[in-house]
Amino acid sequence: MTSTPAIPRHIAIVMDGNGRWAKARHRPRSFGHNAGRKAVREVVEGCLRQGVEALTLFAFSSENWRRPQDEVGALMELFVRALDKEVDELLQQGVRLRFIGDLAAFDAPLRKRMHAAMARTAGNDRLHMNVAVNYGGRWDIVQAARRAAAAVGRGELRAEDIDEATLGRWTSLAELPPLDLFIRTGGECRISNFLLWQAAYAELHFTDTLWPDFDQACLQRAIDDYASRERRFGRTGEQVARARPTQDSAC
Ligand code: FPP
């Protein structure tokens, strides 16, 4: 028994393993990315069933531009197709879709589609789904620092008043519940410049499952793993144990 609520409020996922999944089937990498769309639908369903409030997916990192041109092109096409096909369903499911990252790098028609999808689903709040594109955790911290510097320049803020809370308010996802659970599929155990600020106290779950094979049972295993952790946020185990009866009796 721990004081960790059984269901994380906010889950983030590095969807890794599409290329290896495709290679095992003697197909191009783009085949794996396309198969990854089904896994996205699975986790959205799973989050809705479990009452998870926010889901943040790493779809394209600021470093992914370094991939072969044809793979980058295939991913862009996939995003356009996914936007055209999936947004109606997300709208009906009560999902609010948002893109985070430096969207300025995408071509105008794709950007327009992204903004249209965000506007169409803006009234939903059953699940906040954030798709990180051209995103990097360091970029996120830098853009927050720039906004703070601009506020200082305008005389709205004193540099000595900038603290974690002030800067945090300018990072992506600041208005959502803190990140509780960070999942990475595909067997690698690293964060790869995703949500560096937001993951400070997230529980990490790594699985060998390749992203296209990730389904609701895999999500449940990750949630069960999360629920078994003791989250201490800097306190000792004894302090957490002493606080527990009060918390439990308050429920
Ligand atoms: C990493 O696997 C995956 C990506 C860079 C792309 C993720 C995109 C999707 C899952 C497409 C669907 C998403 C949305 C939101 C429509 P990898 O290519 O690095 O795999 P590997 O490690 O096996 O090579």
Side-chain angles (χ1 to χ4, degrees):
M1 172 90 180
T2 73
S3 59
T4 304
I7 304 296
R9 295 180 68 195
H10 187 167
I11 298 178
I13 310 183
V14 177
M15 308 181 285
D16 197 13
N18 297 345
R20 281 165 283 163
W21 187 91
K23 192 173 176 194
R25 286 158 183 79
H26 309 287
R27 302 297 297 267
R29 296 175 60 81
S30 55
F31 183 72
H33 297 315
N34 203 38
R37 269 172 62 186
K38 181 172 160 287
V40 172
R41 278 187 229 114
E42 284 275 320
V43 290
V44 169
E45 281 285 335
C47 287
L48 287 166
R49 279 188 38 219
Q50 303 261 14
V52 172
E53 294 168 53
L55 170 69
T56 303
L57 302 173
F58 207 6
F60 193 82
S61 77
S62 35
E63 290 77 28
N64 284 153
W65 296 107
R66 297 178 192 151
R67 292 193 172 203
Q69 205 51 47
D70 60 339
E71 184 176 348
V72 172
L75 273 167
M76 295 302 137
E77 256 177 52
L78 174 63
F79 295 148
V80 171
R81 263 187 287 129
L83 278 171
D84 288 348
K85 284 205 175 145
E86 315 282 353
V87 175
D88 285 344
E89 173 87 16
L90 295 176
L91 194 60
Q92 277 166 24
Q93 289 171 311
V95 177
R96 178 175 185 170
L97 176 64
R98 249 180 307 184
F99 293 93
I100 60 165
D102 187 0
L103 304 190
F106 297 103
D107 66 26
L110 179 51
R111 269 201 326 264
K112 204 170 153 199
R113 276 182 159 99
M114 287 175 177
H115 284 292
M118 288 193 271
R120 278 188 76 199
T121 60
N124 284 344
D125 65 358
R126 217 177 134 208
L127 173 68
H128 292 258
M129 176 180 175
N130 312 294
V131 178
V133 286
N134 193 28
Y135 176 89
R138 289 177 176 170
W139 165 85
D140 202 353
I141 295 167
V142 167
Q143 65 83 27
R146 279 197 187 139
R147 289 161 76 175
V152 171
R154 290 192 302 268
E156 296 164 6
L157 181 67
R158 294 188 315 164
E160 56 270 36
D161 290 336
I162 298 174
D163 57 13
E164 290 181 19
T166 317
L167 199 62
R169 276 196 286 278
W170 275 306
T171 57
S172 304
L173 313 177
E175 64 292 352
L176 294 178
L179 182 59
D180 290 319
L181 173 60
F182 183 112
I183 300 172
R184 181 174 185 142
T185 62
E188 309 287 0
C189 299
R190 53 177 172 258
I191 293 177
S192 294
N193 197 20
F194 190 36
L195 299 177
L196 296 181
W197 179 280
Q198 298 82 349
Y201 272 102
E203 297 298 325
L204 308 180
H205 174 89
F206 298 105
T207 168
D208 289 336
T209 302
L210 303 176
W211 177 248
D213 292 328
F214 196 85
D215 59 13
Q216 290 190 46
C218 301
L219 179 68
Q220 188 59 56
R221 275 195 287 282
I223 291 176
D224 291 345
D225 183 22
Y226 164 83
S228 74
R229 311 275 179 90
E230 181 181 70
R231 304 186 80 195
R232 294 196 289 274
F233 298 101
R235 286 173 294 161
T236 65
E238 289 71 27
Q239 285 175 305
V240 172
R242 273 201 299 277
R244 202 170 294 142
T246 323
Q247 280 181 356
D248 288 349
S249 59
C251 294

